[in-house]
Amino acid sequence: ARGDDHRPTDRPDDRAGQRTTAATMGSVTLKVVIQKTGQSKTLAFGLDRTVNDAMREIARKTGAEVGADYGLFLAKGGKVLQARWLRSDRKLLDCELPDGATVHLKKRIRPLKVKLEDGTTKTVLVDESMSVAGVIAAIGKKMGLKNADEFALQLEGAGAQQWLNSSQSLSEQGVGDTDAVVLKKKFFVSDAQLDRSDPVALHLVYAQSLRSILAGDHPLTDTECANLAALQCQILYQNFNPQQHRPGFLGREKEKLVPPQFYSKLGTIEPLMIAEYKKLVGMTEVNAKFRYVSDCRRLKTYGITTFACKQKQAGKKKPVDRHLGVTRDAILLLDEQRQVLKEVPLTHLRRWAAASKTITLDFGDYEDDYVSLLTDDADTISQLIGGYIDILLKKRKEGANLLDDGGDEVASIETVTPVRGMAIGGRAVARGKAGGAGGAA
């Protein structure tokens, strides 16, 4: 059941109370900081005025410059628990501004440094008041990137699964004017349609695939490892040169070509790699990247996002270490060596719930019981699953072809639409947090 169902019926709504008090007061006093000059001034504003009206009043009383690209940003502090941009067309009454709060008058448009997986940096002008989803769309348009909704932003230096919230603005999440963000592919949905006609997306997916392969994120056979290494040789060094690419070459260049788990098998991998490398003479860099991505896509764990977790097992007191993997098509359970123990199609998922340290998955009649895993990344897993389903349903609505190489449907509305706040067998298993207010992930 939803948590707010248990609110006492005789308790007044706090927000309604705040608005009634504000309406009685008729005005609110705010500390206004002018970003351009550093000047600050305390001013009173009528609550029936819009944010645009307030900016014009600030300009009249302080002489500050105010243009179409300016806005008011409510700073965190005191009774303000969440910093946010104020919508220019809203009345101040509806902005729920506590008396004495600080607002910054500043430009919404600013340059943002965006780092890519290949190490390059782009500078893009963005509207800081937009949500991160809007910023990603702007970056995608600037770069000519199709399917930008499958990409996400991370603050530079953040952990592998620490993504910026797509529904909040950069400022609301503490991204400063000098901070850089990293653009990475988070959702691997439309990769089957990726081809050489979209060189920007191809290069970004190649760079991220290469990084993932070299990090050892995928279990590979010797042949798969050698073939990928040969393609990477063609990309880095062009055609095979018998004078340069002699036995021992892989030992010197291993960090650029193979994952760490194969360092002890270079004697086996190198002859396989060289034999394949010789076949690639004349292949262009673009074609080699396309082949690299195509070979990666054939891996069972391609596009997988993994999370460390623990699983309780019958007859054992101590939970065993596992990895949970999420892809466009499936949810996988892997062992410590990233070998696949179980793979369940995403279409079998009926509901899921995230508690503080637990993720619970309900596969309906396809499994005898719920799959419950202990993890510190429960909310992140829940958001990732929800993001995949949202994109799949959006593309289905748009009529996009979402058939995989085998021709099977990826998802259907009937089988993956999450049910919020529904109790199953006495346990709350729903999208979002179990037993919470039923909010979407």
Side-chain angles (χ1 to χ4, degrees), residues 29-295:
T29 301
L30 302 173
K31 179 182 179 182
V32 180
V33 178
I34 314 298
Q35 184 189 47
K36 186 173 182 179
T37 63
Q39 175 188 4
S40 64
K41 192 175 184 67
T42 300
L43 300 172
F45 301 91
L47 288 168
D48 60 339
R49 310 300 297 276
T50 66
V51 172
N52 265 332
D53 293 335
M55 287 195 291
R56 284 191 288 267
E57 192 168 342
I58 292 169
R60 183 173 60 84
K61 292 183 178 180
T62 67
E65 177 185 352
V66 174
D69 59 343
Y70 275 75
L72 286 182
F73 183 73
L74 178 64
K76 181 179 179 180
K79 295 181 179 179
V80 179
L81 303 180
Q82 176 65 60
R84 67 183 189 276
W85 283 91
L86 304 181
R87 279 178 43 185
S88 59
D89 59 341
R90 295 191 73 180
K91 289 187 176 182
L92 296 181
L93 175 63
D94 297 324
C95 293
E96 300 178 14
L97 302 170
D99 223 36
T102 298
V103 293
H104 293 256
L105 176 68
K106 60 179 183 176
K107 284 190 174 184
R108 303 190 316 272
I109 310 300
R110 73 169 178 89
L112 176 68
K113 288 185 178 180
V114 181
K115 297 197 171 185
L116 307 179
E117 282 287 86
D118 62 359
T120 60
T121 300
K122 306 285 186 182
T123 300
V124 182
L125 288 177
V126 299
D127 185 339
E128 198 177 36
S129 67
M130 292 194 308
S131 67
V132 166
V135 171
I136 293 171
I139 294 171
K141 184 177 181 180
K142 169 83 173 181
M143 295 177 58
L145 181 63
K146 299 176 184 178
N147 298 310
D149 58 349
E150 296 180 23
F151 287 77
L153 295 179
Q154 292 180 323
L155 188 62
E156 185 181 22
Q161 299 306 325
Q162 292 179 314
W163 302 95
L164 292 178
N165 190 318
S166 62
S167 64
Q168 294 181 319
S169 71
L170 295 170
S171 297
E172 288 171 346
Q173 299 179 72
V175 180
D177 293 345
T178 60
D179 289 329
V181 296
V182 181
L183 179 70
K184 296 176 65 176
K185 192 168 178 65
K186 181 180 180 182
F187 303 103
F188 296 79
V189 176
S190 303
D191 295 53
Q193 288 79 45
L194 187 66
D195 58 33
R196 285 152 286 200
S197 66
D198 188 3
V200 175
L202 175 59
H203 175 70
L204 292 178
V205 174
Y206 153 75
Q208 192 161 331
S209 298
L210 173 64
R211 184 183 290 265
S212 184
I213 290 292
L214 296 183
D217 292 339
H218 303 275
L220 302 173
T221 65
D222 292 353
T223 300
E224 289 169 339
C225 177
N227 290 346
L228 288 170
L231 287 166
Q232 183 62 7
C233 284
Q234 186 68 19
I235 294 166
L236 292 178
Y237 314 116
Q238 288 76 56
N239 293 334
F240 175 78
N241 183 338
Q243 302 302 318
Q244 181 181 359
H245 307 123
R246 294 180 295 181
F249 166 76
L250 181 57
R252 298 189 299 272
E253 302 291 322
K254 61 181 183 294
E255 291 87 356
K256 301 177 183 177
L257 302 174
V258 298
Q261 60 263 39
F262 286 90
Y263 287 177
S264 62
K265 303 178 67 176
L266 298 183
T268 300
I269 300 300
E270 186 170 54
L272 296 173
M273 180 195 78
I274 290 178
E276 185 65 24
Y277 188 13
K278 291 177 180 179
K279 301 176 185 177
L280 304 178
V281 171
M283 180 177 285
T284 65
E285 180 180 336
V286 171
N287 285 342
K289 288 180 178 178
F290 179 74
R291 275 275 303 275
Y292 196 99
V293 171
S294 297
D295 283 2

Side-chain angles (χ1 to χ4, degrees), residues 329-331 343-349 363 366 410:
D329 302 312
I331 295 176
E343 178 179 356
V344 183
L346 188 61
T347 52
H348 291 184
L349 181 64
F363 294 103
Y366 295 100
V410 173

